[in-house]
Amino acid sequence: MTELAWLGTSMGWTVVTPRDGSLSTEDVVARLGLGDAPDVYTSEPGISGEISFGLVRTSTMLFEANDISYTGRPEISRSLSEGAEVWHVSWNITGQSKLRVALEGEIVVEVPDLDPENAWGTHVNEIGADMDLLRQAARRRWPARRATAMAILEARTGAHLDKEWLDTPRSTVAAE
């Protein structure tokens, strides 16, 4: 994948980190609710309608270039977060964007439109420094909020979504 312009249009990036023990990529995929045995195949990340995934240390990273993020659905965040911490950032062509944190089946922070003034949840105060970064980014040019949200996710999870990851064929499942 030599051109990543579609990243400016739509994407969803989710990192699932087990709280205790381990959580295999197979377990994470099963929590997506795509049927009893979704077909897992290899594909380059960034194809609409697909969710690419891989293990990053003990976390599972999920990536999609869908118009509406499948992994960004509240029920999927809740499912993925049973026994885990989930960080998610997404945006789409209609201008919807969000940063979300889920723990133990509960959405604990949501930042609609990547705007800290709209943030809600039981743990918003625990990520106050991150909200300050988003406030500062709001005063900069267009992609600053998105880049800042991705940097927050990276800093909080240790996962890194870069061109090399996106250029490497990954295990993939079809999203609904």
Side-chain angles (χ1 to χ4, degrees), residues 52-123:
S52 299
F53 60 93
L55 197 60
V56 179
R57 290 187 284 281
T58 61
S59 300
T60 298
M61 190 159 85
L62 303 143
F63 177 80
E64 58 190 307
N66 300 322
D67 291 335
I68 303 294
S69 172
Y70 181 84
T71 60
R73 294 177 181 180
E75 67 274 15
I76 300 301
S77 293
R78 287 185 192 99
S79 176
L80 290 172
S81 72
E82 290 293 338
E85 180 173 312
V86 173
W87 284 78
H88 170 84
V89 63
S90 62
W91 54 79
N92 65 34
I93 195 159
T94 64
Q96 295 177 7
S97 58
K98 73 174 132 290
L99 174 66
R100 177 183 290 148
V101 183
L103 295 169
E104 301 300 334
E106 178 186 353
I107 296 171
V108 296
V109 177
E110 176 128 356
V111 187
D113 304 319
L114 304 178
D115 183 350
E117 304 311 314
N118 296 327
W120 59 269
T122 57
H123 289 61

Side-chain angles (χ1 to χ4, degrees), residues 5-29:
W6 49 263
L7 274 174
T9 307
S10 61
M11 68 135 251
W13 180 28
T14 304
V15 178
V16 181
T17 304
R19 305 268 294 172
D20 296 314
S22 66
L23 186 62
S24 70
T25 55
E26 291 83 8
D27 292 336
V28 170
V29 169

Side-chain angles (χ1 to χ4, degrees), residues 13 15 56-57 59 61 150 153-161:
W13 180 28
V15 178
V56 179
R57 290 187 284 281
S59 300
M61 190 159 85
M150 291 181 76
L153 193 146
E154 183 175 302
R156 289 297 191 134
T157 67
H160 187 66
L161 181 64

Side-chain angles (χ1 to χ4, degrees), residues 134-153:
L134 281 172
R135 278 186 198 88
Q136 292 170 18
R139 294 189 289 263
R140 296 193 202 111
R141 292 175 43 105
W142 166 75
R145 269 193 202 177
R146 292 176 181 179
T148 300
M150 291 181 76
I152 290 168
L153 193 146

